Amino acid sequence: AQSVSQHNHHVILSEAASLELGCNYSYGGTVNLFWYVQYPGQHLQLLLKYFSGDPLVKGIKGFEAEFIKSKFSFNLRKPSVQWSDTAEYFCAVNAQYGNKLVFGAGTILRVKS
Amino acid sequence: EAGVTQSPTHLIKTRGQQVTLRCSPISGHTSVYWYQQALGLGLQFLLWYDEGEERNRGNFPPRFSGRQFPNYSSELNVNALELEDSALYLCASSLADRVHEQFFGPGTRLTVL
């Protein structure tokens, strides 16, 4: 069965600090990978996705993620966070052509202004 | 373009009661998914409906059921409510040929007393 592990449950950063949120998955086949974000009081939104091709994918609001197949990882990065990035971030995976998204437990990011 | 909509926003029920949650997908989307976001358990896949049929089911008991209507809207029914059913229930939708790209609604917060 697929599973997703997010390394940190809570992260606190100051504005302008760099961010990296870890995500590892377990699945032997071809996967699609996603990062979703849930801002306070808002619904889950897609931040970025990887299906195939360039393993470095860029999403909205300056976020990027790198797929490292050999490490089964899909870490999320942002060079300089802003207070408005305070949110909960979820890594998710589904098997290629699969329909069920398997989510990690989420990482709550708090950015101090 | 309107997003996925869900109703009601909040519900309070008591143990043993039954509840029905509703979801309207994005126009043109024929697949609807239900997820449960319970405290401490993250997001877990519940059900997938496409063209009126249940296509896949997560690891939930039979008292969780649903249906999809000809206009692709969907209902999630939970019978014999238990305290641990308290959660945010999220609905997502996708195009038929892009089931791996799911767009989420704001959710229905269910509290079971």
Side-chain angles (χ1 to χ4, degrees), chain B residues 10-25:
Chain B
H10 294 88
L11 265 180
I12 299 176
K13 293 284 188 178
T14 56
R15 284 179 58 192
Q17 286 188 307
Q18 178 265 343
V19 69
T20 297
L21 311 181
R22 294 177 177 81
C23 171
S24 291

Side-chain angles (χ1 to χ4, degrees), chain B residues 23-54:
Chain B
C23 171
S24 291
I26 291 171
S27 177
H29 287 193
T30 60
S31 282
V32 171
Y33 313 82
W34 288 94
Y35 292 85
Q36 183 196 64
Q37 188 176 13
L39 201 61
L41 293 178
L43 279 138
Q44 297 187 62
F45 169 76
L46 258 168
L47 290 159
W48 171 36
Y49 289 95
D50 182 64
E51 295 290 350
E53 300 286 331
E54 182 181 303

Side-chain angles (χ1 to χ4, degrees), chain A residues 32 34 36 38 42-46 49 51 88 90 94-95 97-106, chain B residues 33 35 37 41-45 48 55-58 88 90 98-107:
Chain A
N32 302 311
F34 307 84
Y36 283 86
Q38 193 168 29
Q42 297 188 29
H43 62 274
L44 209 59
Q45 300 172 44
L46 182 65
K49 61 192 177 190
F51 293 157
E88 188 162 14
F90 294 91
N94 69 3
Y97 309 120
N99 52 76
K100 178 178 76 172
L101 282 169
V102 177
F103 285 86
Chain B
Y33 313 82
Y35 292 85
Q37 188 176 13
L41 293 178
L43 279 138
Q44 297 187 62
F45 169 76
W48 171 36
R55 302 295 186 186
N56 198 3
R57 182 181 183 85
L88 181 67
L90 294 172
R98 298 186 74 80
V99 294
H100 47 278
E101 285 195 272
Q102 300 175 20
F103 296 84
F104 285 80

Side-chain angles (χ1 to χ4, degrees), chain B residues 46-99:
Chain B
L46 258 168
L47 290 159
W48 171 36
Y49 289 95
D50 182 64
E51 295 290 350
E53 300 286 331
E54 182 181 303
R55 302 295 186 186
N56 198 3
R57 182 181 183 85
N59 189 25
F60 282 84
R63 58 191 186 82
F64 286 84
S65 65
R67 54 181 174 165
Q68 186 179 34
F69 299 97
N71 66 354
Y72 304 112
S73 67
S74 176
E75 284 182 353
L76 173 69
N77 298 294
V78 188
N79 294 320
L81 283 166
E82 300 179 3
L83 296 178
E84 52 264 34
D85 297 334
S86 294
L88 181 67
Y89 289 85
L90 294 172
C91 174
S93 72
S94 77
L95 293 168
D97 59 348
R98 298 186 74 80
V99 294

